[in-house]
Amino acid sequence: MPKNAILKVEGKDVPVSNLDKIYYPKAGFTKGEMLAYYIKMAPVLLPHLKNRPLTLKRYPNGVEAPFFYEKQCPKPTPPFVKTCQVARHHKPGSIQFCLANNLPTLVWAANLGDLELHTFLSKAPNVHKPTQIVFDLDPGPPANAVQCAQVALWLREMFSNLGLEVLIKSSGSKGLQAYVPLNTPTTYAETSPFAKAVAQALEKVHPELVVSDMKKDLRRGKVLVDWSQNSETKTTVCVYSLRARERPFVSMPLEWSEVEKCLKKKDESLVFFEAGEALKRVEKKGDLFAPVLTLKQNLKDALNLFSPGQTKKMTKTRLKGTGDGSLSAYSAKRDFTQTAEPSGKSKASGKKLLFVIQKHDATRLHYDFRLELDGVLKSWAVPKGPPTDMKTKRLAMMVEDHPYDYARFEGTIPEGNYGAGTVMVWDIGTWENLGPESHEGLKTGKLHFRLNGKKLKGEWALVRMHGPRATTGREWLLLKHGTALKPISAKQDDLSAISGRSLKQIGGSSNRQWTSGKKATDRNTREEKGSFKSRISSLGRQLNQAKKRAVKLK
Ligand code: MN
């Protein structure tokens, strides 16, 4: 390769120089190789740079020599370099940032020794409106990327409970960086305190491994969840950027399975990739970070329910312990690392109380009949299902209370777990007490109620059994009251009330229906909000579960 040359890049002349200069002495990686890397990576890199004000981090003599940051687009600025004017923060004047919107600009910047590309979280001209949230997971030695992997997985779980997807990349330096794509209208005034609340909540729940405070001395052996990058004045290293380390590592998108593996094997090398490997990965996997640019997620709902005040309340509840004692039996029977069933506990009740019948294809097929009371679901297992005529009495075995969230659980409980088999939401709606006061009725063993479901409408009763056949005290009978109902057809009997799927179809898919909130389009707004709230209130518990299953570090 010649020392100096004019490269013809997309019809533009870009002068390049000192191509044989060693940029990474330990790896023998030259400036020419650096340029070649950026040119080859451009198809996936440029979309992430597009319209984002760029801070250059220039290493004119390689990674072992002095470097400098450059916000102001260097002069002379070639005509193909687009720029964007951004007002200085708390100072008069403005800065003309480069926008690396095309390949000639990328090559030109690289030739200036711009080894690292640092970009805004927002796009010109809307520099006040971030399109994403970032958490920089920065390990304080002796912690490393393995501990970051653990924190990233907690973060992902937390966001999953908020209904938000998170993507992850290695910083290419020491840690990992988690991105929450938004691509919907928001401001830093919203994202910054939100990110801070998330980091603080994580610290409260996992104080042994997480700090949310920047102070260096607090970080030793822990992971700083740096939320402060979510600011108009900050830039973050762009995905696929090289890093100025001993070797040419790249800020590389990761699959979550790779993060899990890194944690399991305690091997941080599993999440770090050098330039050559990075190019091969992209060839094979494409741009794993593409959703950061395209996935539309709304922070508004999460914001309403996850303000800093809420964080405090939420973590306090968790730190106090399990709280709702009536679900201890439910929790004790389940390993939430194995089953997708909700571990959530209860909800603030709406005006109308919920009822649900879940068809459960377990060791023996049965129907689980549940009535909302005091924020949980009182539950009975009905082997033959609800009767539709007055002559039929159906045995109903009272079982442990289930969390409110369970009402919309549809999916498969894996083999070897309590209740293994497929669960369908067979009917769902509201119930109304027609008899004595509900708590009184439960105590005396007589409940009379009206169901307003999709399949079942009308009056039923639950009556506790007495005598020799009632050996456990949990035997009840489910009876039809009022007028008879047309028998349920075989087709209706095998049809989910929320997804329209058959048991077989549900069994064939392993999705966690209850968290998706997307397919069940028939929910009304109140219910939607209710389930969202309950997801939040269960956040602390879920994190606690995640903590229990965490691999012991160190
Ligand atoms: Mn069951």
Side-chain angles (χ1 to χ4, degrees):
M1 199 180 272
K3 201 172 173 217
N4 298 316
I6 303 277
L7 285 186
K8 199 75 160 168
V9 184
E10 291 178 348
K12 315 286 181 201
D13 289 339
V14 186
V16 293
S17 57
N18 301 317
L19 295 179
D20 53 1
K21 192 186 271 183
I22 302 283
Y23 258 42
Y24 292 82
K26 298 245 163 36
F29 193 84
T30 64
K31 185 180 176 188
E33 286 174 282
M34 168 212 170
L35 258 70
Y37 167 79
Y38 276 127
I39 291 167
K40 286 181 196 157
M41 203 51 114
V44 291
L45 169 57
L46 282 172
H48 293 279
L49 292 169
K50 193 168 183 192
N51 289 330
R52 296 185 191 273
L54 177 75
T55 295
L56 282 67
K57 194 175 178 189
R58 293 176 62 180
Y59 290 80
N61 291 302
V63 298
E64 291 183 2
F67 69 90
F68 59 100
Y69 284 98
E70 200 162 34
K71 292 185 176 189
Q72 182 73 45
C73 196
K75 288 185 176 129
T77 312
F80 53 76
V81 176
K82 301 245 181 327
T83 61
C84 156
Q85 188 171 309
V86 179
R88 280 181 195 275
H89 217 67
H90 305 305
K91 270 184 232 161
S94 62
I95 300 172
Q96 203 75 27
F97 280 89
C98 304
L99 301 174
N101 284 5
N102 51 49
L103 186 55
T105 303
L106 185 60
V107 175
W108 167 78
N111 184 61
L112 293 175
D114 179 23
L115 210 57
E116 296 192 355
L117 306 159
H118 292 254
T119 47
F120 276 33
L121 297 175
S122 54
K123 288 200 278 191
N126 302 312
V127 291
H128 311 295
K129 297 180 174 172
T131 63
Q132 52 204 227
I133 293 175
V134 67
F135 294 93
D136 190 17
L137 309 180
D138 189 7
N144 61 24
V146 173
Q147 283 74 22
C148 293
Q150 174 62 85
V151 174
L153 289 164
W154 287 331
L155 205 58
R156 179 202 191 198
E157 178 152 12
M158 204 156 160
F159 274 103
S160 144
N161 287 309
L162 293 169
L164 296 170
E165 205 166 306
V166 184
L167 287 97
I168 189 85
K169 66 179 172 82
S170 72
S171 70
S173 179
K174 289 185 191 115
L176 302 177
Q177 290 164 333
Y179 281 69
V180 184
L182 296 176
N183 302 305
T184 52
T186 187
T187 59
Y188 287 107
E190 287 180 328
T191 59
S192 180
F194 174 77
K196 183 178 182 180
V198 168
Q200 288 177 336
L202 212 54
E203 181 178 21
K204 281 259 170 70
V205 181
H206 300 288
E208 76 286 3
L209 198 55
V210 176
V211 283
S212 62
D213 195 303
M214 289 289 285
K215 282 189 216 87
K216 274 255 192 293
D217 53 330
L218 294 175
R219 210 179 302 181
R220 214 192 124 66
K222 295 184 181 182
V223 174
L224 170 68
V225 178
D226 187 0
W227 52 270
S228 70
Q229 308 272 88
N230 296 286
S231 153
E232 223 171 298
T233 60
K234 296 278 178 71
T235 55
T236 305
V237 71
C238 186
V239 66
Y240 304 118
S241 171
L242 286 164
R243 298 311 299 270
R245 295 189 61 194
E246 283 192 353
R247 303 188 65 86
F249 285 107
V250 172
S251 182
M252 199 69 201
L254 303 167
E255 285 168 348
W256 280 108
S257 58
E258 295 174 307
V259 177
E260 280 161 6
K261 200 170 166 193
C262 165
L263 175 62
K264 205 172 150 198
K265 306 245 176 214
K266 294 182 193 169
D267 181 357
E268 69 165 336
S269 75
L270 293 172
V271 293
F272 288 113
F273 301 91
E274 290 191 29
E277 300 166 277
L279 287 165
K280 274 189 215 138
R281 254 175 87 82
V282 165
E283 220 164 271
K284 219 165 82 187
K285 296 181 189 281
D287 179 13
L288 292 175
F289 240 40
V292 172
L293 299 178
T294 54
L295 183 63
K296 289 189 192 324
Q297 302 194 103
N298 201 323
L299 199 57
K300 292 277 189 306
D301 293 332
L303 274 169
N304 286 340
L305 298 156
F306 196 73
S307 59
Q310 287 251 337
T311 310
K312 214 170 186 180
K313 212 161 94 191
M314 204 165 62
T315 47
K316 224 185 235 168
T317 315
R318 191 213 63 90
L319 291 170
K320 261 198 295 194
T322 50
D324 193 340
S326 75
L327 286 174
S328 53
Y330 172 84
S331 299
K333 286 180 176 177
R334 287 166 179 78
D335 176 1
F336 298 108
T337 67
Q338 298 289 318
T339 177
E341 294 167 283
S343 58
K345 38 186 173 180
S346 63
K347 61 141 261 165
S349 174
K351 278 190 187 118
K352 289 192 171 178
L353 295 169
L354 193 74
F355 98 89
V356 64
I357 298 176
Q358 280 156 318
K359 189 172 177 178
H360 187 179
D361 190 10
T363 317
R364 286 170 108 164
L365 182 87
H366 61 272
Y367 297 75
D368 290 301
F369 185 90
R370 312 188 197 279
L371 300 173
E372 177 193 350
L373 191 67
D374 301 331
V376 298
L377 301 172
K378 298 286 163 191
S379 299
W380 290 261
V382 185
K384 291 184 178 172
T388 51
D389 65 72
M390 262 69 92
K391 285 176 297 192
T392 310
K393 296 173 180 175
R394 291 278 157 86
L395 176 68
M397 293 296 289
M398 197 172 200
V399 298
E400 75 274 15
D401 293 349
H402 279 52
Y404 178 83
D405 263 3
Y406 206 94
R408 283 180 195 78
F409 173 71
E410 191 169 273
T412 303
I413 302 168
E415 218 42 71
N417 288 273
Y418 180 71
T422 306
V423 176
M424 168 202 281
V425 176
W426 187 82
D427 199 13
I428 191 161
T430 56
W431 76 280
E432 185 191 339
N433 187 12
L434 301 174
E437 195 278 327
S438 308
H439 298 90
E440 196 55 35
L442 274 173
K443 215 187 278 172
T444 57
K446 270 195 183 96
L447 288 170
H448 179 201
F449 46 85
R450 187 191 315 281
L451 300 180
N452 187 17
K454 296 196 172 167
K455 294 175 186 171
L456 300 188
K457 289 185 204 302
E459 291 176 45
W460 277 263
L462 273 163
V463 180
R464 187 185 286 124
M465 283 170 65
H466 294 284
R469 281 191 302 149
T471 52
T472 64
R474 294 188 153 252
E475 292 87 345
W476 294 58
L477 289 171
L478 182 58
L479 313 163
K480 183 77 187 78
H481 275 209
T483 53
L485 196 73
K486 212 176 112 197
I488 304 290
S489 70
K491 194 183 161 212
Q492 280 292 310
D493 186 52
D494 194 28
L495 198 69
S496 162
I498 60 167
S499 69
R501 297 182 297 178
S502 66
L503 261 181
K504 210 173 152 193
Q505 284 170 324
I506 296 165
S509 84
S510 59
N511 70 335
R512 300 171 51 155
Q513 187 70 34
W514 70 282
T515 54
S516 86
K518 278 166 194 152
K519 283 186 185 154
T521 48
D522 56 343
R523 293 181 202 171
N524 67 37
T525 319
R526 184 194 72 80
E527 284 178 334
E528 186 75 59
K529 216 175 162 192
S531 84
F532 206 91
K533 265 192 183 164
S534 58
R535 258 187 271 159
I536 301 279
S537 68
S538 73
L539 197 61
R541 180 189 285 248
Q542 301 239 355
L543 283 166
N544 203 19
Q545 289 293 343
K547 191 173 174 177
K548 275 186 207 148
R549 94 186 63 138
V551 178
K552 274 266 172 290
L553 299 164
K554 286 178 277 179

